[in-house]
Amino acid sequence: MVNKTILVVEDEVLVARDIQSRLTRMGYEVLSIASRGKEAITKALDLRPDLILMDINLRDEMDGVEAAVQIRLSYDVPIIFCTAYSNDETLERAKISDPYGYVLKPFDNRELEINIEIALYKHRTEKDLSATRRRLDATLTNVSDGVIAADLSGEVYVVNPVAERITGCCRQKASLMKLRDIMKLECFEPGQKSVDFSESLAYLNEHVTGMRQYLIKDNGVRVPIELSVNILDENLSNLIVITFRDISQQLSYEETIRKNAFFDDLTELPNRSLFVDRLDSSLNRRKRDRKPEDFAVLFLDLDGFGVINDGLGHDQGDALITEIGLRIINTVRPDDTVSRFSGDIFAILLDPVEGVTGAITACQRILQSIEEPIELGGTVVNIAASVGIVLNHGNYRTGDEMIRDADNALHRAKLDSKGGYVIFDNEMYRDAKKYLDRKSGMQQALLDSTFEVYYQPIVDTYTGVLTSMEALVRWPHPVEGMVSPAEFIPIAEETGLILPLGEWVLRSVCNQIKDWNDSGFDDFRVAVNLSARQFENNIPGLIGGILDETNIDHSSLGLEITEGVAMRDVEHIIRMLEELKDLGLNISIDDFGTGYSSLAYLKRFPLNTLKIDRSFIMDITDNPDDREITKAIIGMGQNLNLKVLAEGVETSSQLEILRRNGCDFIQGYYYSKPLPATEILPFLSNRQLIGERRLELIA
Ligand code: C2E
Ligand code: CA
Ligand code: CA
């Protein structure tokens, strides 16, 4: 082992020699002896000893303390002071030179050796420590992550330059702040837990790794970061080490990657992956909500795109595809998804959609928008598309299944005829098609005046005389023959076509009454059925106008409204009915007994006649309950001063029961089915005939 070297500074020659020989015996190498302060400095810097033994009191202008300070300015060496005497002031001064030891003369060998060894050891560890610190500083300065260390009380110990840059808080400032003020965090995604350094840090017992959070800087700027938190509980003093990095850039890369993965380059529309993803969530949402709400997938392919692409070039082909994408986007709702699958194939997710009819309407709008001429580099092109439509029926498990069916439907659409659509599900398709066919058929029938009105006689139960008729509309369909109003009236109501149709019926009936009056027949009434929607308009005004036009006796017109209509918007309906009654019209409540309204309730309505629903009459002979109900209705109606009419009377036994119970009027096949106006004439010209038949049958 190499001996440690020592410089002895001592102005007493004898003392110096004594110390030198003692040190040599202890195994140290005395490099030199200096007796003056200046000499000590020169020798120390020249010889670079491992330690200096320094006498404080030197016979010179510079004492040992001063010399020690000078030396340590340029050379890091442990210095032990030795002195024969010391006052407080000297001791105080000695402190500033960072002494490594202090021995009082005379000293024994043991004391000197211990002091020297401690000084050497202390110096060595200090050097090691500062080297470690320098290396740590260099590491912290050069790591690419921000590092902040704090204790459990939130006192901040370490802030590296990256952390300074990200947080915008310099090291000096940080050392005066608490961790919670530097690391203010917010969650990155909704629902995510955020790391909170403001709570008692003792609760931070879980290590966090790679968690994304927003760091809120003092100026309010939110920086996305990814952070890890480690709790080191070495040596009992817990240390929280936070490493983090700014991920703004990474997020923008991720966004680009996401875009490339989920969006089509050319049109920037969602690609197949994203479409399937959205479709799957539409399906899953329905499973969770158990909502019957429909959604649909449209699969669209341009007709003859290849020809345009080859003819005008690929650039124009691309421009065309982009334009089509834009047109579809502008046609559908913001929540719908328009995607380009490949080439000229687009997929559209309509969610939500109003059933098949909603899907067809949307599809027709899309097809129309595509068929508008497109200008491509000075050339105007016309293009059409075919569409396959599929609706969620509740049995699809994956989006791919729906896409498969939409694709099948598209193939059929391509085969059937270009520029059209095919709906995958047959049954739904039939229903929707029928609805739409009925709608356009009725529109046409109104234009062509193909509707007809049939009349069904209503007879006085006792005299057997025809007193009135019910007008019932008929639709002779060019292909299907006579279509029942039970089928088309509901569609007319839903589509609003009931308004022109209802007006047409009223006008036809009034004209017919006028014709019959002109032929010498009067003293009868015709009742017309009214739908709820007709009350949304000024129905008294309309009817008043028609009565004026045709100039017929107001009392020859009656109106029938069902219980259902009466219950809708009670005050409004009552007001309108009062106006109608004031016009002199007879008002009947139709299908009575099916709507659960009480007679007491109906008292508020200005009614003249109560029509007992056919369902009670049907079983009146066999079912005692129905018989009782009918009897009760008749009794109550008459108490309210209403005339009571039974509809759907088909047999003499039904008639007999009704007659016995005092029902005023009878309508039904027993007397006559609804008939065209021309066939009613015999009933009008020979009314007694009906009565005779009745008497004949009863007798
Ligand atoms: P409603 O007002 O209850 O009309 C009576 C229906 O019962 C008529 O059917 C009639 O043909 C039928 N009927 C009459 N007697 C008998 C019988 O003895 N046995 C049987 N089985 N049926 C009988 P229709 O003509 O098919 O009309 C069905 C419904 O269509 C009507 O029911 C009415 O609610 C509606 N409707 C008909 N014409 C019009 C109209 O011009 N306007 C409005 N808003 N609705 C109308
Ligand atoms: Ca009726
Ligand atoms: Ca009825």
Side-chain angles (χ1 to χ4, degrees), residues 470 529 560 590 611 647:
E470 178 176 3
N529 292 283
E560 291 190 6
D590 201 358
K611 289 186 80 167
E647 65 178 345

Side-chain angles (χ1 to χ4, degrees), residues 248-278:
S248 317
Q249 184 114 70
Q250 183 183 339
L251 290 181
S252 94
Y253 291 149
E254 282 176 12
E255 175 64 15
T256 317
I257 291 168
R258 197 183 66 81
K259 274 213 164 129
N260 289 341
F262 291 118
F263 292 87
D264 170 43
D265 276 348
L266 175 64
T267 57
E268 292 181 2
L269 293 173
N271 64 11
R272 188 191 174 110
S273 310
L274 183 54
F275 185 84
V276 173
D277 193 62
R278 298 225 178 129

